[in-house]
Amino acid sequence: MSGLYEQIQEAAAFVRRQWQSTPVAAIVLGTGLGSLAADIVPEVVLPYEQIPHFPRSTAPSHKGQLVCGTLAGRPVVAMEGRFHYYEGYSLQQITFPIRVFKALGASTLLLTNAAGGLNPRFRKGDLMLIEDHINLLGDNPLIGPNDERLGERFPDMSRAYDPTLRQQLQQLALEERIPLQGGVFVALPGPSLETAAEYRFLRTIGADAVGMSTVPEVIVAVHARLPVAAISVITDMCLPDALAPVSLPEILHAAQQAEPLLRRLITRLVATLP
Ligand code: HPA
């Protein structure tokens, strides 16, 4: 049985055999946001099941393939479909691809997700730049023996979301006239959505948006010293005193509505990356 480090090297070597570019960015496409991959000029598309040690994607609307190609003329890798804790994976499995991207030489990680809005000033369809997070998954991807080759035992989280990338995204949003909210993202395991009492609690502790992903990937990116930025699409409003039922089709529909703006923002960012 090879260790985590060796598994990462094996997966990266597999990708590199078919695609020799060094990605300027690795992009993770969240629920309902997969069509962003259509902007990428594909060079190699790898179904997850072909990549050594990659988990398989089971979530609805997640395709389960790694798209390697160019966006705005720059080499990128994109995950069409991510892994969630509620699918039954360990957080170490969920974050395996992030470590492979680091091994491939990616210099930036861009994460997207569909999230519920807790801040009453938000509207369904808004984009929110994640400024910080609260981990309520009850778990952490770094639990277990630490391999110093991957990162340090106690990574500092004071600037988890790269300040330079955040500033660039805010500037580009201004230039493109794309409204961009900012706020704190809280991660819960799901898969059930939250109760009104839980939304009240989440708002009280300082969260602006809630979702079931992203936080494990950010923790591992910080551990790997891979600069990361993350954007939520607010797909439904989670206001405890005016809570309306929400279904997956509604969440997917809202994500698809907001997607063109997100695509433009990410494409502009990739074009400006060093
Ligand atoms: N909770 C509530 N609403 C949501 C979520 C969530 O985790 N994700 C997308 N909309």
Side-chain angles (χ1 to χ4, degrees):
M1 222 332 243
S2 58
L4 176 61
Y5 184 82
E6 288 71 27
Q7 293 183 356
I8 295 163
Q9 299 307 315
E10 265 181 63
F14 174 84
V15 175
R16 218 179 275 122
R17 271 199 296 279
Q18 344 221 4
W19 190 64
Q20 283 79 39
S21 303
T22 300
V24 295
I27 307 169
V28 179
L29 306 173
T31 300
L33 302 169
S35 71
L36 207 145
D39 292 344
I40 298 171
V41 179
E43 292 166 348
V44 176
V45 177
L46 301 169
Y48 293 157
E49 59 266 22
Q50 288 182 9
I51 308 173
H53 314 295
F54 249 57
R56 316 257 176 284
S57 189
T58 72
S61 89
H62 287 256
K63 256 192 179 160
Q65 56 188 24
L66 191 67
V67 180
C68 310
T70 60
L71 179 64
R74 318 292 310 283
V76 297
V77 286
M79 282 183 79
E80 229 181 313
R82 66 138 61 79
F83 306 109
H84 302 80
Y85 198 40
Y86 62 72
E87 294 173 79
Y89 299 117
S90 70
L91 292 186
Q92 195 181 83
Q93 288 176 299
I94 286 172
T95 54
F96 183 79
I98 308 303
R99 290 173 154 145
V100 174
F101 300 150
K102 173 73 181 185
L104 287 172
S107 38
T108 299
L109 177 65
L110 302 175
L111 304 171
T112 63
N113 65 37
L118 297 163
N119 185 327
R121 284 191 293 269
F122 292 177
R123 291 286 170 271
K124 180 169 151 171
D126 279 356
L127 300 183
M128 186 192 92
L129 182 63
I130 303 182
E131 293 166 345
D132 204 350
H133 75 220
I134 300 171
N135 179 11
L136 291 188
L137 293 170
D139 198 354
N140 188 300
L142 305 181
I143 287 176
N146 187 60
D147 188 332
E148 291 286 330
R149 291 172 293 184
L150 300 176
E152 61 186 312
R153 174 76 288 190
F154 300 108
D156 178 72
M157 294 293 285
S158 63
R159 287 171 189 80
Y161 296 80
D162 188 74
T164 307
L165 288 173
R166 276 194 279 149
Q167 208 179 5
Q168 282 169 334
L169 282 163
Q170 278 160 343
Q171 179 60 36
L172 292 170
L174 265 179
E175 287 175 21
E176 292 284 322
R177 298 175 181 274
I178 295 171
L180 184 61
Q181 307 277 12
V184 173
F185 177 83
V186 61
L188 271 77
S192 51
L193 299 184
E194 294 72 31
T195 64
E198 287 165 341
Y199 290 136
R200 185 172 290 107
F201 164 74
L202 297 172
R203 183 69 189 141
T204 305
I205 63 169
D208 297 288
V210 53
M212 304 173 191
S213 66
T214 303
V215 162
E217 290 105 315
V218 169
I219 293 171
V220 163
V222 170
H223 185 244
R225 297 187 179 275
L226 174 59
V228 57
I231 300 173
S232 292
V233 175
I234 305 299
T235 53
D236 52 290
M237 286 305 294
C238 305
L239 304 173
D241 296 310
L243 191 56
V246 63
S247 63
L248 181 69
E250 287 172 68
I251 288 175
L252 294 179
H253 182 73
Q256 278 146 19
Q257 294 286 302
E259 197 180 27
L261 296 180
L262 186 62
R263 283 163 79 156
R264 231 162 74 208
L265 193 53
I266 288 183
T267 304
R268 283 288 315 265
L269 181 72
V270 167
T272 61
L273 286 176

